[in-house]
C-alpha cells in the first residue's frame, strides 16, 4: 500500500524492500498501513546496516532477511519505532525481532523525523530548549550511525547539518543546526521519489529551488558553493515540471538536483525566504515548500537592491532576456511565478486560504521571530522586524516590494 496515496502530506523517510519509515500526522494507532513484516535482501540490509552492532530503524514488527537461498528473521537487530509524545521528547517502542512482536504506548502515535529520532534514541534526556540552540546537540554515534536515504526531492537533509522541528505549542518551526546531525552516509536512489504525489513533488521542488537561489546570493557564498547552486537551479528548471507530471527521468534528475542544492546551502547558508517560511508554515498550516514558493519572488525583490547582479547571472544562465540587471531580475521573478502557476501553487498567502484576520493577528509575532531565525544572518541584505512585516505583507497580498 502506498502511504502517500492515503495522505499527500505523509513523507516517506526511508523505503527498503517493502519496509517504510514515515513522518506524518497519520494516526498510527492501528498500524494498518504498516507491513506485518519487512522483507529485505542481504544487499538492501547492508545499505542501512553498514557496521555490525549498529541499530537499524524500521517501522515494522518483523524483519525477514532473504539471501543465499534461505530466509531468516534477524534477531540481532533491534526493531524500533520512534513515536512522538509531547513537545520534543520521544518514546522508543522496542520490538522482539525473533518473536515478531511490537509494543507501542496507548496514546496517539506519530513517527518522527530521523534526525530527531536518532537524537531521542541516544539522548532521551535532551530537551528542546537545549538542542534548538545552534551547535548545542550532544555527541551522537554512541549507539547508531546515521545513514540517510531521501524519499523526496526537496529537503536535502541527507547532506546537511540542518533539520527543522516544530513546536506545536507555539506553532513555530525551529531550524536545528549542528554537524552532529549530518548523516554519515547518503544514498540517493532515484527510484524512491517515483511514488511522490504531484503536490508533494511541487512543494519539495520549490523548496529545492529556494535552497539553490538563496545559497547563490547568501552572505557566506563562495567559489565552492556557487557552481553547486547554479547547477541545481539549471537542473530544477529543466526537470521540475516534467517531474510534476510523473516523468521517470525527470524525477531522477530532480533527486540529484535537490542534493546539489543542499550541498550548496550547507556551505553558503540561506536567507529570509526560509526565515519567514519557518515562522509562517506552522502558524498558517501551509507546507514548508509552498511557503518558500510564495515568498521567493518577494524576497528576491527585497534583496535585489544589494545583489541584482547575482540574480541577473542566474537569469542569463536560464536563457531569460533583459538588457539590465533589473530587467533580468524581473524576468527571473516572473519565471518563478510562472513555475508556481504550472505547479498549481497559488502565489499569495491570501490565495492559499490564510484569512486577513489570522494574518493581521500574527504578523508582528511572525516578523519578530523571523528576525531571530538563524537563516536571517546570512541574508544578503540586512532586515529588521519592520522590514520583515513589509516583505510578508507583500507576499500575503501579492504586492511588489519597492522599499
Amino acid at each position: 500500500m502506498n502511504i502517500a496515496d492515503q495522505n499527500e502530506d505523509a513523507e516517506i523517510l526511508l523505503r527498503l524492500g517493502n519496509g517504510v519509515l514515515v513522518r506524518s500526522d497519520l494516526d498510527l494507532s492501528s498500524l494498518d498501513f504498516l507491513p506485518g513484516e519487512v522483507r529485505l535482501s542481504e544487499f538492501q540490509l547492508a545499505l542501512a546496516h553498514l557496521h555490525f552492532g549498529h541499530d537499524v530503524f524500521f517501522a515494522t514488527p518483523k524483519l525477514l532477511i532473504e539471501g543465499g537461498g534461505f530466509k531468516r528473521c534477524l534477531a540481532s537487530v533491534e526493531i524500533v519505532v520512534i513515536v512522538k509524545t509531547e513537545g520534543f521528547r520521544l518514546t522508543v517502542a522496542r520490538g522482539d525481532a525473533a518473536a515478531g512482536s511490537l509494543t507501542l504506548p496507548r496514546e496517539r502515535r506519530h513517527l518522527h523525523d530521523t534526525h530527531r529520532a536518532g537524537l531521542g534514541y541516544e539522548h532521551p534526556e535532551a530537551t528542546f530548549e537545549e538542542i534548538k540552540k545552534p551547535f548545542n546537540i550532544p555527541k551522537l554515534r554512541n549507539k547508531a550511525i546515521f545513514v540517510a536515504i531521501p524519499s523526496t526531492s526537496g529537503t536535502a537533509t541527507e547532506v546537511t547539518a540542518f533539520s527543522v522541528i516544530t513546536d506545536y505549542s507555539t506553532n513555530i518551526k525551529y531550524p536545528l543546526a549542528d554537524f552532529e546531525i549530518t548523516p554519515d552516509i547518503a544514498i540517493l536512489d532515484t527510484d524512491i521519489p517515483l511514488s511522490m504525489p504531484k503536490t508533494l513533488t511541487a512543494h519539495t521542488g520549490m523548496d529545492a529551488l529556494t535552497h539553490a537561489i538563496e545559497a547563490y546570493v547568501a552572505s557566506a557564498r563562495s567559489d565552492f558553493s556557487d557552481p553547486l547552486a547554479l547547477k541545481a537551479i539549471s537542473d530544477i528548471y529543466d526537470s521540475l515540471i516534467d517531474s510534476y507530471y510523473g516523468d521517470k527521468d525527470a524525477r531522477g534528475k530532480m533527486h540529484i538536483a535537490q542534493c546539489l542544492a543542499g550541498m550548496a546551502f550547507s556551505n553558503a547558508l540561506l536567507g529570509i525566504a526560509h526565515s519567514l517560511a519557518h515562522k509562517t508554515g506552522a502558524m498558517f498550516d501551509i507546507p514548508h515548500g509552498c511557503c518558500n514558493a510564495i515568498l521567493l519572488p518577494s524576497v528576491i525583490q527585497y534583496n535585489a537592491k544589494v545583489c541584482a547582479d547575482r540574480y541577473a547571472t542566474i537569469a542569463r544562465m536560464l536563457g531569460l532576456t533583459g538588457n539590465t540587471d533589473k530587467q533580468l531580475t524581473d524576468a527571473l521573478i516572473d519565471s518563478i511565478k510562472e513555475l508556481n502557476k504550472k505547479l498549481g501553487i497559488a502565489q499569495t498567502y491570501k490565495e492559499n486560504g490564510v484569512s486577513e484576520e489570522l494574518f493581521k493577528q500574527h504578523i508582528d509575532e511572525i516578523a519578530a521571530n523571523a528576525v531571530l531565525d538563524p537563516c536571517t544572518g546570512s541574508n544578503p541584505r540586512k532586515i529588521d522586524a519592520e522590514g520583515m512585516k513589509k516583505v510578508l505583507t507583500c507576499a500575503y497580498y501579492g504586492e511588489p516590494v519597492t522599499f
Side-chain angles (χ1 to χ4, degrees):
M1 183 180 297
N2 188 339
I3 296 171
D5 288 341
Q6 293 193 10
N7 185 339
E8 284 194 348
D9 291 331
E11 181 175 354
I12 300 172
L13 296 174
L14 184 151
R15 184 199 297 274
L16 283 176
N18 68 325
V20 293
L21 179 61
V22 304
R23 182 185 68 199
S24 72
D25 287 330
L26 296 174
D27 184 353
L28 306 188
S29 56
S30 66
L31 295 179
D32 287 340
F33 68 92
L34 295 177
E37 64 183 28
V38 169
R39 297 177 180 271
L40 300 177
S41 68
E42 297 277 6
F43 174 72
Q44 287 173 320
L45 179 66
L47 292 179
H49 192 208
L50 296 174
H51 296 282
F52 291 108
H54 287 294
D55 298 323
V56 181
F57 295 83
F58 286 101
T60 178
K62 191 174 182 181
L63 179 62
L64 280 180
I65 305 303
E66 300 177 347
F70 66 92
K71 299 179 181 179
R72 60 190 171 89
C73 189
L74 193 67
S76 62
V77 174
E78 208 171 46
I79 310 303
V80 299
V81 175
I82 308 299
V83 298
K84 174 182 169 186
T85 54
E86 295 181 2
F88 168 71
R89 291 191 176 278
L90 304 175
T91 298
V92 179
R94 303 178 185 278
D96 183 332
S101 65
L102 180 68
T103 303
L104 289 173
R106 285 183 173 272
E107 68 268 14
R108 283 176 60 91
R109 292 87 144 168
H110 303 281
L111 296 183
H112 226 55
D113 177 88
T114 49
H115 274 155
R116 303 188 292 276
L119 177 59
Y121 176 51
E122 294 206 11
H123 293 281
E125 78 286 354
T127 67
F128 175 61
E129 291 302 318
E130 293 172 349
I131 65 109
K132 76 177 184 181
K133 301 173 184 176
F135 302 99
N136 199 47
I137 290 176
K139 184 173 177 56
L140 300 178
R141 286 129 185 110
N142 303 302
K143 299 179 181 179
I145 62 170
F146 186 4
V147 182
I149 307 174
S151 61
T152 64
S153 302
T155 65
T157 190
E158 73 275 7
V159 291
T160 74
F162 306 99
S163 184
V164 175
I165 188 169
T166 303
D167 183 347
Y168 287 103
S169 66
T170 60
N171 284 328
I172 297 176
K173 292 186 177 182
Y174 293 90
L176 309 184
D178 199 297
F179 293 113
E180 285 293 329
I181 59 174
T182 303
D184 301 291
I185 296 171
I187 301 171
L188 273 70
D189 182 343
T190 55
D191 284 341
I192 292 176
L194 294 178
S195 63
M196 287 196 302
K198 291 176 73 174
T199 300
L200 185 61
T201 301
H203 292 169
T204 56
M206 290 306 294
D207 187 24
L209 180 63
T210 307
H211 287 158
I213 291 178
E214 288 208 299
Y216 189 68
V217 300
S219 61
R221 66 184 184 262
S222 70
D223 289 343
F224 297 97
S225 61
D226 282 354
L228 294 167
L230 289 174
K231 175 63 173 172
I233 294 167
S234 177
D235 286 356
I236 290 169
Y237 263 79
D238 279 350
S239 57
L240 181 52
I241 298 300
D242 289 339
S243 176
Y244 177 70
Y245 287 104
D247 181 85
K248 181 177 181 180
D249 291 338
R251 289 273 172 116
K253 191 171 184 177
M254 272 299 303
H255 209 46
I256 303 301
Q258 64 85 31
C259 185
L260 293 174
M263 294 166 69
F265 87 75
S266 288
N267 290 279
L269 304 179
L270 293 167
I272 60 170
H274 271 79
S275 302
L276 286 166
H278 291 151
K279 309 315 173 191
T280 55
M283 186 68 72
F284 297 149
D285 194 25
I286 297 176
H288 175 70
C290 184
C291 288
N292 276 320
I294 295 168
L295 287 160
L296 187 56
S298 298
V299 169
I300 290 175
Q301 286 181 321
Y302 176 79
N303 287 336
K305 288 189 178 294
V306 298
C307 59
D309 59 323
R310 304 287 289 183
Y311 293 128
T313 298
I314 295 173
R316 290 189 191 95
M317 177 195 66
L318 295 173
L320 303 177
T321 58
N323 295 320
T324 65
D325 286 350
K326 184 181 185 307
Q327 290 174 3
L328 287 163
T329 299
D330 289 343
L332 176 62
I333 292 169
D334 290 342
S335 74
I336 292 168
K337 291 180 178 179
E338 184 63 23
L339 261 182
N340 284 336
K341 183 178 180 180
K342 290 179 179 178
L343 294 170
I345 299 174
Q347 188 54 67
T348 68
Y349 280 104
K350 187 174 184 179
E351 291 173 302
N352 276 276
V354 180
S355 70
E356 201 164 22
E357 179 184 5
L358 181 65
F359 178 75
K360 290 181 177 179
Q361 179 184 350
H362 293 290
I363 185 171
D364 289 334
E365 176 187 359
I366 290 170
N369 287 328
V371 170
L372 300 176
D373 190 277
C375 295
T376 301
S378 49
N379 194 67
R381 184 182 175 192
K382 298 301 181 184
I383 192 167
D384 57 15
E386 189 61 31
M388 287 286 193
K389 284 178 60 176
K390 291 179 180 178
V391 171
L392 188 56
T393 298
C394 290
Y396 179 81
Y397 292 105
E399 299 170 349
V401 177
T402 58
F403 59 94

